[in-house]
Amino acid sequence: MTFNLLNKDIESISCQTLVVFSKAASQKDRPAKVTHSELNKTLNQAIAEKTITGKHCESVTYRELNYAGFRHVIVVGLGKENEISHESVRQTAAAAYEALKALKTKEAALHFDGITTSKSDAVPYARATAEGLMLASYIFNELKTGQKEPQEEANVHVVTKSAATLKKAYEEGLILGSCVNFSRRLGDLPGNLMTPTILAQHAVDGAKGTGLKVTIWDKARIKKERMGGLLGVAAGSDQEPRFIIMEYKGAAAAKKPVVFVGKGLTFDCGGISIKPSAGMEDMKYDMCGGANVIGTLLAIAKLKLKVNAIGLVASTENIIGPSATKPGDVHTARNGKTFEVNNTDAEGRLILADALSYASELDPATIIDAATLTGAMVVALGNTHTGYFTRNNVLKSKVEKAAVASGEWVWNMPLCDFHVKDMKGTFADLSNISAGKGAGSATAAAFLEQFVGEGIPWAHFDIAGTGWAVGNRLNYCPKKGASGAMIRTFVEIAKLQG
Ligand code: BES
Ligand code: ZN
Ligand code: ZN
């Protein structure tokens, strides 16, 4: 489907399908209101009979209604007026997309001015509508032959009388949505079709024409750069590791960059400390932190933000081979610290150690990392919130502000010296697993902290629970598939940096 913004009065156009919105009344006996000036008998009757209730994301389709120049009419619920937010609108737009898809319409006009309750809502709602439509349109069926769902060939016009004022926000929503979809596809591709080499190639290809400079380090260069953590994890695999560097310059050269770091484990079987087989196939998603950092840099560049930003992705497989790292092996990270690998399945922190050390050398204003790092994060927060760790209160308030603007849910997790103490090694500086019990996500964060330069504001986002399969609560995410978690929040963080 294509989604364009149309500067028209909805009353003045005709089209195959009209999408209007209805608000739920706050009192039980009050009927829902459809946000279109003139209603025909059928819709009024439906409201009276409560087949249209205005409940959030309810969609009611009237085929062949032939009403005011429209053949079909879809009514989508906005929910109660005081509960409408940009996030609820994102979901409402996704519900509209699903109804349009089910109707197999060729052309539709979506009555945007019916969504807004005041002028100040219009800008964020325009962005949210574009995001909701674009995000809902993501489908991953390229590996199916035969009966795959056809790609929708429809034009959706988002109709508003104030298109000139909303254009920028609307286009921003489409760009963000398409960058999130780009990262989702990288996540959904299976391990045999998404190796470190392929991931790096996608970063190069995606960056074409955006002004981003992309540099890829191969195994020989990674060795030369003394990245002992990344090499140690890669030792068991036939696939060469890659270190991906994406640079964007949107501000004066003197301005310190915000550096995003991602875990790009294209498959994690656990290594010699092998994982149980049930659900192991989901470990193709262990590169979602990396994929989402790539998507973040693409979005920052395409939105032409006035900021300097760098994306770093450490990428490898964690698999078993004759040279694989064994429990007890000791490796040296780029910053010279040594660590014992007491569990080869705690590998994400080892490759991030090198990436964070390198990030710290770039004189960054801030370092932000994303990783599907710990199963403990899924236990703590399920798939609702992304847990984040930082000891910097200024950065913490930026993260909170950014998440409010993006609509993504984050939760601040504790990180203190006790967690650091638990990560001390017996024979080396550090152990990659905790000596204590519990708080597995915090001790992992404490390990990472050992590789961040003194005084650099740093936040770590553990997306183990939110990186994929969040479609049970977000209708603009695939039921089972990569979500693109934190890309929208990271773009907001970059804006606050500029
Ligand atoms: N990639 C996993 C974490 C993970 C598990 C993400 C489930 C999403 C869902 C990570 O590499 C890992 O295996 N971590 C171990 C660490 C432990 C051995 C200290 C874990 O969480 O079990
Ligand atoms: Zn692991
Ligand atoms: Zn992992």
Side-chain angles (χ1 to χ4, degrees):
M1 282 191 204
T2 62
F3 312 107
N4 72 300
L5 196 64
L6 189 61
N7 198 353
K8 283 270 163 66
D9 184 339
I10 193 90
E11 321 282 345
S12 73
I13 61 171
S14 65
C15 183
Q16 192 183 39
T17 303
L18 169 69
V19 180
V20 291
F21 297 93
S22 67
K23 285 178 189 161
S26 35
Q27 280 164 14
K28 257 204 201 141
D29 38 349
R30 281 224 202 118
K33 274 193 199 139
V34 171
T35 62
H36 195 254
S37 65
E38 203 194 310
L39 287 177
N40 95 342
K41 239 174 81 192
T42 311
L43 295 187
N44 270 319
Q45 197 180 342
I47 289 170
E49 288 170 356
K50 297 198 167 127
T51 40
I52 294 174
T53 68
K55 202 174 139 229
H56 185 220
C57 290
E58 168 191 89
S59 77
V60 186
T61 299
Y62 295 88
R63 287 174 192 265
E64 311 299 348
L65 188 66
N66 293 309
Y67 156 66
F70 301 97
R71 206 173 133 192
H72 314 297
V73 175
I74 298 172
V75 185
V76 184
L78 285 164
K80 288 182 194 153
E81 182 142 6
N82 61 348
E83 289 171 6
I84 299 173
S85 64
H86 64 81
E87 174 55 17
S88 80
V89 167
R90 203 171 278 111
Q91 295 178 21
T92 306
Y97 177 89
E98 287 308 324
L100 288 168
K101 189 172 157 188
L103 185 62
K104 297 194 171 74
T105 190
K106 288 276 164 284
E107 193 158 40
L110 189 144
H111 181 204
F112 177 79
D113 294 333
I115 298 179
T116 49
T117 47
S118 72
K119 274 217 166 98
S120 64
D121 294 337
V123 170
Y125 288 5
R127 186 182 123 177
T129 301
E131 276 177 30
L133 291 170
M134 184 55 89
L135 291 171
S137 74
Y138 175 76
I139 167 163
F140 182 74
N141 62 6
E142 64 196 75
L143 302 178
K144 284 191 179 159
T145 61
Q147 340 97 336
K148 55 174 154 184
E149 282 177 65
Q151 220 49 47
E152 306 302 318
E153 298 283 347
N155 299 322
V156 180
H157 311 291
V158 174
V159 184
T160 170
K161 284 185 250 179
S162 7
T165 18
L166 303 179
K167 191 166 178 272
K168 194 167 167 263
Y170 184 80
E171 279 169 2
E172 184 176 331
L174 290 185
I175 289 173
L176 265 174
S178 61
C179 291
V180 170
N181 290 347
F182 178 92
S183 296
R184 285 173 169 177
R185 177 169 173 264
L186 303 186
D188 285 337
L189 281 162
N192 62 325
L193 302 177
M194 181 45 64
T195 61
T197 317
I198 299 173
L199 181 65
Q201 192 55 48
H202 278 290
V204 171
D205 295 344
K208 279 192 184 131
T210 63
L212 278 164
K213 181 180 168 204
V214 185
T215 312
I216 309 295
W217 289 353
D218 63 6
K219 191 174 175 185
R221 180 69 190 264
I222 291 166
K223 234 180 226 165
K224 212 168 144 202
E225 298 288 342
R226 309 174 323 278
M227 294 187 153
L230 180 54
L231 287 168
V233 178
S237 174
D238 271 353
Q239 293 293 334
E240 274 209 15
R242 288 289 181 268
F243 192 74
I244 304 166
I245 305 170
M246 300 174 88
E247 291 168 87
Y248 171 72
K249 289 198 166 67
K255 194 130 179 42
K256 290 183 175 190
V258 49
V259 182
F260 296 97
V261 175
K263 169 178 173 180
L265 242 300
T266 57
F267 192 78
D268 177 16
C269 82
I272 304 282
S273 316
I274 196 165
K275 285 181 183 296
S277 54
M280 201 201 268
E281 66 279 8
D282 280 351
M283 282 298 114
K284 70 172 183 177
Y285 293 116
D286 214 18
M287 37 61 74
C288 284
N292 298 357
V293 162
I294 295 171
T296 299
L297 266 290
L298 292 179
I300 289 173
K302 288 184 182 186
L303 294 170
K304 300 188 168 61
L305 298 191
K306 291 185 174 45
V307 64
N308 291 332
I310 299 175
L312 304 175
V313 179
S315 183
T316 176
E317 284 184 338
N318 185 26
I319 205 137
I320 303 166
S323 310
T325 289
K326 303 167 288 298
D329 284 2
V330 174
H331 293 301
T332 308
R334 182 177 169 88
N335 71 348
K337 289 193 183 171
T338 57
F339 49 75
E340 289 159 36
V341 183
N342 289 319
N343 187 318
T344 64
D345 197 12
E347 84 300 335
R349 61 197 75 184
L350 308 183
I351 69 168
L352 288 173
D354 290 326
L356 290 168
S357 300
Y358 182 66
S360 302
E361 295 165 24
L362 302 172
D363 193 19
T366 310
I367 301 176
I368 306 283
D369 79 70
T372 47
L373 203 64
T374 62
M377 194 75 253
V378 193
V379 175
L381 299 180
N383 75 2
T384 59
H385 297 68
T386 294
Y388 75 93
F389 301 78
T390 182
R391 296 216 214 192
N392 184 299
N393 284 330
V394 178
L395 182 54
K396 182 179 162 201
S397 62
K398 277 188 190 164
V399 169
E400 293 294 330
K401 218 170 144 186
V404 168
S406 72
E408 294 189 290
W409 286 356
V410 297
W411 196 258
N412 186 228
M413 302 287 292
L415 169 58
C416 67
D417 290 345
F418 285 102
H419 300 127
V420 176
K421 219 172 122 208
D422 278 349
M423 300 308 285
K424 287 242 171 311
T426 312
F427 306 106
D429 300 336
L430 296 159
S431 165
N432 77 331
I433 54 168
S434 166
K437 268 207 173 137
S441 304
T443 51
F447 183 92
L448 297 183
E449 193 184 38
Q450 304 316 302
F451 302 90
V452 178
E454 193 81 34
I456 300 172
W458 162 71
H460 156 60
F461 290 72
D462 193 334
I463 58 166
T466 51
W468 72 95
V470 298
N472 61 334
R473 69 178 183 92
L474 292 172
N475 67 344
Y476 51 78
C477 286
K479 285 272 170 298
K480 169 117 175 87
S483 64
M486 293 301 115
I487 297 177
R488 284 153 39 206
T489 303
F490 287 180
V491 169
E492 292 302 322
I493 292 175
K495 281 188 199 167
L496 293 171
Q497 205 68 42

